[in-house]
Amino acid sequence: KTRPFSRTEYHRLAEAGVLTEDDRVELLEGAIAAMSPIGPYHSGVVDFLGNFFKSALGARAIVRVQNPLALGPDSEPQPDLLLLKPRDDFYRHAHPTAADVFLLIEVADASLEVDCDYKARLYARAAVPEYWVVDLVRQVILVHRQPTADRYASVVDYARGTRVTPDAYHDVQLSVAD
């Protein structure tokens, strides 16, 4: 038998040493889910995106890479990249929530199905305003906007040769080829 965990219980497991920083897991709707191993291509794209947005946005956003996002009482995913509302404490006292997010990005190779289906529904339900999936296999960026109760009303694929602009920052354009 299994039962769902709350975020509080999840953190207690870490405090007790049951879960460690080396465990690649995240809490999704009460389930402790294993995360896919990160290969060099995936890592390089995440690093590129982090550097790109830090350079382009400066102090207009906090760029957070592979760190937790508090989504309700039973979910704490660790997206590849978050663009967050600036705060003086840099979220030292509490993990950011969906209300703090300008843009959430997942980089997908082996995790594409989970990112485009399960996580898209999770992020839409939490009202994350904009969610990108960087599909490393097809080399496209799937841009999800207009969250509803269980999905994003708008999903647009941007292919190589095009540029994509976050809704929150119309002066920033990312080349899909990059």
Side-chain angles (χ1 to χ4, degrees):
K1 264 187 165 183
T2 61
R3 72 164 183 79
F5 289 94
S6 68
R7 287 185 49 242
T8 301
E9 291 169 322
Y10 179 66
H11 283 271
R12 284 190 191 138
L13 289 172
E15 290 165 8
V18 175
L19 296 174
T20 69
E21 287 185 10
D22 295 332
D23 291 319
R24 291 213 16 93
V25 296
E26 57 188 345
L27 183 67
L28 302 175
E29 297 182 316
I32 298 174
M35 296 168 59
S36 299
I38 298 175
Y41 187 41
H42 183 283
S43 295
V45 170
V46 171
D47 289 344
F48 168 81
L49 290 169
N51 287 333
F52 172 83
F53 283 113
K54 283 178 189 173
S55 175
L57 297 173
R60 294 189 292 163
I62 293 174
V63 178
R64 190 172 247 211
V65 176
Q66 297 174 336
N67 277 312
L69 175 66
L71 295 182
D74 66 352
S75 292
E76 194 172 289
Q78 295 182 31
D80 287 312
L81 190 122
L82 290 165
L83 299 184
L84 300 170
K85 294 177 182 173
R87 274 186 23 184
D88 290 339
D89 73 347
F90 284 80
Y91 300 92
R92 285 185 186 111
H93 304 291
H95 292 311
T97 67
D100 300 308
V101 176
F102 290 123
L103 173 63
L104 185 155
I105 300 176
E106 295 281 10
V107 176
D109 40 18
S111 64
L112 184 62
E113 186 176 333
V114 170
D115 292 337
C116 288
D117 183 33
Y118 183 80
K119 284 191 175 179
R121 282 185 280 118
L122 178 69
Y123 297 147
R125 279 196 301 270
V128 170
E130 186 168 4
Y131 170 46
W132 294 3
V133 178
V134 178
D135 179 347
L136 297 179
V137 176
R138 293 186 317 144
Q139 298 187 340
V140 300
I141 298 176
L142 296 96
V143 175
H144 300 71
R145 292 182 174 132
Q146 302 169 359
T148 67
D150 63 348
R151 65 181 184 85
Y152 283 89
S154 171
V155 181
V156 178
D157 289 15
Y158 288 82
R160 290 179 72 82
T162 63
R163 295 181 172 274
V164 62
T165 301
D167 270 350
Y169 303 102
H170 293 285
D171 61 320
V172 175
Q173 290 189 351
L174 174 70
S175 168
V176 175
D178 288 344

